């Protein structure tokens, strides 16, 4: 038996226990670090051995339970999509690749994977556009290399890395230390009166300790790196919580308000409000899981609420497009291109965790000052420290 096969079988045995664990459990609750590393290894080994069914199984668990490192995101998304496409689940493959592009607009690998899946679906014009972006941003997989078409699957070492535009992060390294490692900060908002709050998965990734800026400890309840969402819980009841607007459908041009704690240490510690409009109901490369808005966001805004004109939560702020890097790549300077995960995606995540949430009923438009006050009451700054 080769070393690779022995390692693969060892990973499978460990993963049998993981796959038997209750759904909705976070990586932290399943002795996360070691088991998540096993999931990454098992996904890569299955893909390298041509076992696409195993790749899909391991990747599904990995993306639903673990905090995936930036350097692994594009590679694992590409392989997960390849396995899904091979199984005939092409729309799901497009969803995986769309989320990869939203999180890492520079990932040429995910654009090339999207081109392959679109081509197999007969959507040749869209496939050509995705292929052109992949070529512009980096490089397509080498000739004869694997794509999410499910055909030839090269070993992991043959896959090119991501290249091109910037990662779409809106959290920040606070540049401080508490003795256990670097500190980073983001934003979260409460969704019930039991202290459950929502943020982005990348805000809590790699954290040894989570707390509010007021030193209240936070417990990680669940995380889904695939949609970049996480739920935490504070022991004390919040001052207010947000209600999710799931209907009526959003309309392009609606007024929106974003709240968060951008650029900590530089801007106001009481939080910042920005306003704009809903500019599109899809994200980069037509990703259906996110909204595009003009309300400006900065590092530290990640995980904050995006409200409509009546004060209902319509999204979770997740990223912005880096104008400088896009200028270098395309020669054009984008302005006010920012993104939020849709409230409908958040509702699905909360349903999986069996966490109740309020549905929006407000329809009367409020003035900006009242919206800002409501956003401030439901939101907190999240501090991540230690590794």
């Amino acid at each position: 038996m080769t070393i690779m096969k022995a390692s693969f079988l060892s990973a499978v045995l460990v993963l049998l226990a993981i796959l038997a664990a209750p759904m909705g459990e976070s990586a932290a609750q399943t002795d996360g670090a070691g088991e998540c590393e096993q999931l990454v290894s098992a996904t890569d080994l299955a893909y390298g051995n041509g076992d696409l069914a195993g790749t899909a199984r391991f990747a599904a668990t990995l993306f639903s339970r673990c905090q995936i490192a930036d350097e692994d995101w594009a590679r694992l998304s590409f392989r997960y999509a390849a396995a899904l496409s091979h199984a005939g689940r092409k729309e799901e493959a497009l969803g995986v690749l769309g989320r990869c592009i939203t999180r890492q607009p520079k990932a040429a690998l995910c654009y090339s994977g999207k081109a392959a899946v679109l081509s197999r679906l007969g959507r040749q014009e869209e496939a050509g556009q995705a292929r052109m972006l992949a070529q512009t941003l980096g490089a397509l997989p080498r000739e004869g290399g694997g794509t999410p078409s499910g055909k030839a699957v090269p070993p992991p070492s043959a896959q090119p890395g991501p290249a091109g535009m910037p990662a779409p992060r809106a959290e920040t390294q606070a540049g401080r230390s508490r003795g256990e490692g670097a500190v980073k900060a983001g934003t979260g908002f409460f969704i019930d009166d039991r202290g459950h709050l929502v943020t982005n998965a990348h805000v809590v990734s790699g954290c040894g300790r989570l707390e509010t800026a007021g030193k209240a400890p936070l417990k990680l309840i669940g995380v889904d790196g695939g949609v970049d969402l996480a739920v935490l819980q504070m022991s004390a009841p919040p001052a207010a919580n947000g209600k999710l607007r799931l209907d009526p459908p959003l309309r392009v041009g609606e007024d929106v308000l974003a709240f968060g704690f951008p650029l900590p240490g530089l801007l106001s510690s009481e939080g910042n409000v920005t306003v704009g409009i809903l500019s599109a109901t899809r994200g980069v490369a037509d990703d259906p899981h996110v909204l595009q808005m003009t309300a400006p966001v900065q590092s530290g805004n990640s995980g904050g609420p995006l409200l409509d004109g009546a004060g209902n939560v319509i999204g979770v702020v997740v990223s912005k497009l880096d104008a400088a890097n896009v200028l270098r790549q395309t020669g054009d300077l984008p302005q006010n291109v920012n993104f939020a995960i849709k409230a409908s995606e958040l509702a699905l995540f909360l349903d999986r965790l069996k966490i109740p949430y309020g549905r929006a009923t407000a329809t009367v438009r409020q003035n900006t000052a009242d919206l800002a006050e409501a956003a401030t009451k439901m939101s907190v700054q999240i501090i991540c420290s230690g590794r």
Side-chain angles (χ1 to χ4, degrees):
M1 181 180 292
T2 65
I3 293 176
M4 176 176 286
K5 288 182 179 178
S7 299
F8 179 65
L9 289 175
S10 175
V12 169
L13 290 174
V14 172
L15 289 165
L16 287 176
I18 300 175
L19 293 171
M23 292 302 294
E25 225 173 34
S26 72
Q29 292 172 309
T30 57
D31 190 22
E35 291 169 338
C36 288
E37 289 173 3
Q38 290 279 3
L39 280 165
V40 171
S41 297
T43 300
D44 283 337
L45 284 170
Y47 186 82
N49 289 335
D51 178 10
L52 293 180
T55 300
R57 186 169 62 255
F58 297 140
T61 305
L62 173 66
F63 275 79
S64 67
R65 299 189 185 183
C66 297
Q67 301 164 11
I68 300 171
D70 286 349
E71 60 268 23
D72 297 328
W73 189 267
R75 183 188 78 254
L76 293 168
S77 295
F78 182 93
R79 293 172 182 181
Y80 187 16
L84 291 172
S85 180
H86 181 76
R89 298 159 60 185
K90 297 180 181 61
E91 292 297 336
E92 292 179 61
L94 285 178
V96 169
L97 294 165
R99 290 189 288 276
C100 173
I101 291 167
T102 296
R103 176 162 169 170
Q104 293 186 337
K106 66 190 296 183
L109 188 59
C110 291
Y111 281 104
S112 67
K114 182 177 180 180
V117 177
L118 288 170
S119 180
R120 285 176 63 84
L121 286 168
R123 295 158 60 177
Q124 300 304 331
E125 183 176 351
E126 295 172 76
Q129 293 171 348
R131 190 173 295 110
M132 185 179 300
L133 280 168
Q135 291 169 332
T136 299
L137 297 174
L140 289 168
R142 64 187 63 182
E143 190 68 25
T147 70
S149 65
K151 295 184 179 179
V153 179
S157 59
Q159 292 294 348
M165 292 194 292
R169 289 303 175 77
E171 94 282 7
T172 183
Q173 297 292 335
R176 295 174 285 129
S177 174
R178 298 188 179 182
E180 308 95 351
V183 174
K184 63 179 180 179
T187 304
F189 63 95
F190 293 98
I191 45 86
D192 66 16
D193 57 8
R194 295 186 297 156
H196 287 110
L197 67 148
V198 173
T199 189
N200 293 138
H202 72 255
V203 169
V204 302
S205 175
C207 300
R209 181 171 65 193
L210 289 161
E211 60 188 5
T212 69
K215 308 295 186 184
L218 298 173
K219 177 183 178 183
L220 181 62
I221 301 300
V223 62
D224 188 337
V227 290
D228 204 354
L229 289 172
V231 172
L232 310 174
Q233 188 170 24
M234 185 176 72
S235 59
N241 56 76
K243 302 294 189 295
L244 307 189
R245 172 179 162 183
L246 303 179
D247 57 73
L250 295 171
R251 299 173 62 200
V252 170
E254 287 193 41
D255 291 330
V256 298
L257 179 145
F259 181 84
F261 297 88
L263 303 176
L266 177 63
L267 299 183
S268 171
S269 60
E270 66 182 1
N272 277 248
V273 171
T274 57
V275 297
I277 64 167
L278 182 67
S279 48
T281 58
R282 290 175 177 261
V284 174
D286 275 337
D287 182 359
H289 305 92
V290 298
L291 307 168
Q292 181 182 329
M293 79 279 192
T294 62
V297 295
Q298 308 293 336
S299 294
N301 271 109
S302 276
L306 183 69
L307 306 182
D308 66 11
N312 306 311
V313 176
I314 61 171
V316 182
V317 174
V318 65
S319 63
K320 69 174 184 176
L321 208 56
D322 188 312
N325 277 335
V326 174
L327 176 63
R328 285 194 293 270
Q329 294 292 339
T330 67
D332 193 14
L333 183 66
Q335 298 180 21
N336 296 334
V337 181
N338 307 300
F339 303 100
I341 301 166
K342 291 180 178 179
S344 56
E345 290 292 322
L346 173 57
L348 291 173
F349 179 50
L350 294 173
D351 288 341
R352 291 200 300 273
L353 294 175
K354 294 181 169 50
I355 296 176
Y357 51 88
R359 289 175 175 258
T361 57
T363 57
V364 178
R365 180 181 173 81
Q366 301 182 43
N367 64 49
T368 303
D370 288 338
L371 292 174
E373 183 177 353
T376 302
K377 288 180 177 178
M378 72 174 71
S379 304
V380 292
Q381 186 176 33
I382 296 172
I383 305 298
C384 158
S385 60
R387 297 290 175 182

